[in-house]
Amino acid sequence: KYNINMPINEYEFYNGVVLNGLLNSGKSIKIADFPTTSKNSFMLNENKVGIYIKHSRKVISPWRFTFLKEHQEEFKAMSELCINAFLILVCGKDGIASIKSDVLKKVLDDNHEPAEWLSASRLKRESYAIKGSDGKLNFKINLRDFPRDIIKCL
């Protein structure tokens, strides 16, 4: 529940950008909190899609994201409970990169360290290059992939 007497947390703005992008797709979407203590994860249309949102408020590329062991374990649980799971990286005001769970394993494997990292970088008019503690993607994530890839799974 939202309490109007409390200040707005930063993550609420970034989560709002993602949820607004999904709702504006024209597809009927039911959004629910993922059953953990995190305020960054949601289930769409029951368990069809799980999304885990990370954000960086940095203005320019590269954007870095820290993944504590508990974040990775939560995403793993989401991947097991939902038909599809996506990591959503909100890169400041630049854009959003969405990465499907099977692709994410190429940059953050199943060996969860206490703290790992992911970075997204892009030049003007290009797609996102993704690197992580355990490797880098050999392809780029297009800005148009969000919310298109998620909507396809609903």
Side-chain angles (χ1 to χ4, degrees), residues 73-148:
E73 288 172 354
E74 182 176 340
F75 188 79
K76 184 178 186 219
M78 176 183 286
S79 299
E80 293 168 355
L81 290 171
C82 297
I83 298 167
N84 298 283
F86 289 85
L87 173 64
I88 309 297
L89 302 176
V90 183
C91 301
K93 293 181 181 178
D94 183 75
I96 298 172
S98 61
I99 306 168
K100 201 164 182 186
S101 58
D102 58 335
V103 172
L104 183 63
K105 287 183 180 190
K106 295 175 182 172
V107 291
L108 287 177
D109 63 22
D110 286 330
N111 181 21
H112 302 159
E113 301 293 329
E116 296 189 77
W117 61 272
L118 201 70
S119 75
S121 60
R122 84 179 189 100
L123 300 172
K124 202 172 204 154
R125 293 184 287 283
E126 288 192 13
S127 297
Y128 289 104
I130 307 293
K131 293 191 282 189
S133 295
D134 301 312
K136 69 178 193 171
L137 295 183
N138 59 0
F139 60 91
K140 293 187 176 185
I141 304 291
N142 193 298
L143 282 165
R144 290 184 298 255
D145 291 350
F146 176 84
R148 181 193 64 201

